[in-house]
Amino acid sequence: MTAKSQTASRFVPAIFAAVLGLALITLTGHVQAAALHDAAHDVRHATGFPCH
């Protein structure tokens, strides 16, 4: 492996994580609080985590 490909292979996961994080923050910042709460509540029930 060349030095250039090693450097690129290190940055790809970091860039992907940054884009994913920014998208998550942007989307959750624009959704209504009730919809976000309902989605989290449904996920808790779907995974079997007690929330009541």
Side-chain angles (χ1 to χ4, degrees):
M1 224 184 236
T2 66
K4 188 174 184 178
S5 64
Q6 285 178 343
T7 303
S9 66
R10 275 194 234 161
F11 284 116
V12 170
I15 291 170
F16 178 75
V19 169
L20 183 63
L22 185 60
L24 207 84
I25 290 170
T26 302
L27 290 173
T28 57
H30 287 90
V31 74
Q32 292 181 353
L36 191 58
H37 172 80
D38 291 343
H41 189 253
D42 292 344
V43 169
R44 283 191 297 251
H45 279 291
T47 58
F49 189 80
C51 59
H52 297 267

